[in-house]
Amino acid sequence: MRVGECKLCLQTKELLRESHIIPRFLYKLLTGENNSTVLIDAERARIRYNSEYESDILCKDCDNGVIGKLDDYFAKYLHDEFPIKSEMSLVMVEGIEYALRENDPNYDYAKYKLFLLSLLWRSSISSRRFFGAVKLSSVVEEDLRKMIIYNDAGDPETYPCLIFLPPLISTPDGGRGFHPFYMPTMSPVTHKNADWEICKFVIEGMTYYFIISRPPTSKVEPSVEKNKLFMRISTVEEQLEMHNLIVKMAMGHKVKK
């Protein structure tokens, strides 16, 4: 192990050789033979045999303790591994379908949001090519670092996150569920102009929009609120558009950003 400054606690300690930027449990449905995972980078598709990790950025206490606790919580919540199962309701708002989790005993606003912000922060400090499009300002990076290390999730509209779920497909038994075809994972991208800065992550078909900056008068409705999750269900057309983009990448075509 190399001794250096941990990017989270800012103390001089031994640094780990492997700190995961996006934890492997988020790729659970995409793991194939030989423990391989198909990830889509900014230019083309290729098979990876591990999730993305970085060396010499975090100490053991921060990686296993601070970040690890957030990872552990989100893994259990995402895969519904609590003794009391979470329930999701489907609601229609102005013709758009949403998944609602409200009054959920397993939902912890601070842990859920801080996990997501930790993904954003980890991606920004990473030197891996996969995260090359996410480079936040030093001010934003420091804000996120303090929120994570001091366990301060802030208000829902502080670095709000909007979540889009994959489309729900009819199943043979008459129900509805997610289909792996509509659940890609892609390298994050950043959309930025004079007024807005938004980072977009696509992980197993779930799309996370992190709003870094926006006009003072603009209003957003975060998916991650203090007492509920309110996530939009994507349409098949939206996911097919993404799938066609992935096919072009897999064939080696460069895609304009």
Side-chain angles (χ1 to χ4, degrees):
M1 292 186 181
R2 184 179 74 84
V3 175
E5 183 182 77
C6 171
K7 291 187 179 293
L8 186 57
C9 67
L10 303 183
Q11 297 183 30
T12 301
K13 295 183 178 180
E14 289 187 343
L15 303 176
L16 297 182
R17 292 182 179 178
E18 291 190 7
S19 293
H20 284 91
I21 308 303
I22 296 180
R24 189 164 184 79
F25 70 79
L26 287 177
Y27 305 131
K28 187 175 182 179
L29 296 180
L30 293 179
T31 301
E33 295 181 0
N34 301 319
N35 205 33
S36 63
T37 301
V38 177
L39 302 179
I40 313 300
D41 70 15
E43 294 183 354
R44 62 177 302 167
R46 52 184 171 172
I47 295 178
R48 307 283 180 83
Y49 288 90
N50 202 342
S51 52
E52 292 285 346
Y53 63 86
E54 187 96 3
S55 61
D56 301 331
I57 59 171
L58 295 175
C59 67
K60 182 178 180 181
D61 291 336
C62 287
D63 189 274
N64 297 342
V66 180
I67 297 290
K69 289 179 180 179
L70 298 176
D71 287 356
D72 289 345
Y73 166 77
F74 200 87
K76 290 181 179 179
Y77 193 83
L78 182 65
H79 299 299
D80 204 13
E81 296 175 350
F82 290 99
I84 301 175
K85 298 303 179 183
S86 297
E87 294 185 1
M88 181 175 69
S89 302
L90 298 178
V91 298
M92 296 293 292
V93 179
E94 297 181 352
I96 298 175
E97 192 170 28
Y98 290 85
L100 174 64
R101 285 186 171 180
E102 193 170 20
N103 300 319
D104 184 349
N106 300 319
Y107 177 61
D108 186 310
Y109 165 75
K111 290 180 180 178
Y112 194 100
K113 182 176 178 182
L114 286 173
F115 167 79
L116 293 178
L117 293 183
S118 79
L119 288 185
L120 180 62
W121 178 77
R122 284 182 263 183
S123 299
S124 183
I125 67 170
S126 174
S127 62
R128 304 283 288 188
R129 175 186 171 187
F130 193 75
F131 305 101
V134 180
K135 293 304 173 189
L136 305 173
S137 70
S138 58
V139 173
V140 173
E141 278 191 3
E142 179 64 5
D143 280 348
L144 296 178
R145 184 193 73 81
K146 288 180 178 178
M147 292 173 76
I148 296 165
I149 195 72
Y150 295 124
N151 192 38
D152 178 13
D155 294 326
E157 290 201 14
T158 301
Y159 300 115
C161 182
L162 282 64
I163 303 175
F164 285 56
L165 298 180
L168 287 171
I169 308 301
S170 298
T171 57
D173 61 1
R176 299 171 73 197
F178 300 122
H179 192 286
F181 180 81
Y182 299 106
M183 301 177 72
T185 293
M186 303 177 66
S187 59
V189 296
T190 298
H191 303 281
K192 186 176 182 179
N193 58 30
D195 297 318
W196 292 84
E197 182 177 2
I198 302 173
C199 294
K200 174 185 176 182
F201 287 64
V202 181
I203 305 174
E204 287 208 332
M206 294 182 66
T207 305
Y208 304 87
Y209 292 95
F210 295 96
I211 301 178
I212 309 304
S213 62
R214 63 187 191 273
T217 56
S218 67
K219 293 184 179 180
V220 297
E221 296 184 7
S223 294
V224 184
E225 299 188 16
K226 289 190 175 180
N227 61 348
K228 67 179 180 181
L229 287 173
F230 193 59
M231 302 170 287
R232 177 177 167 177
I233 305 292
S234 298
T235 65
V236 170
E237 290 75 17
E238 288 169 336
Q239 293 302 83
L240 280 176
E241 183 179 350
M242 187 181 300
H243 183 269
N244 290 335
L245 178 64
I246 291 169
V247 170
K248 290 182 179 179
M249 292 176 181
M251 294 176 65
H253 298 296
K254 290 188 176 182
V255 177
K256 294 182 180 180
K257 297 181 181 179

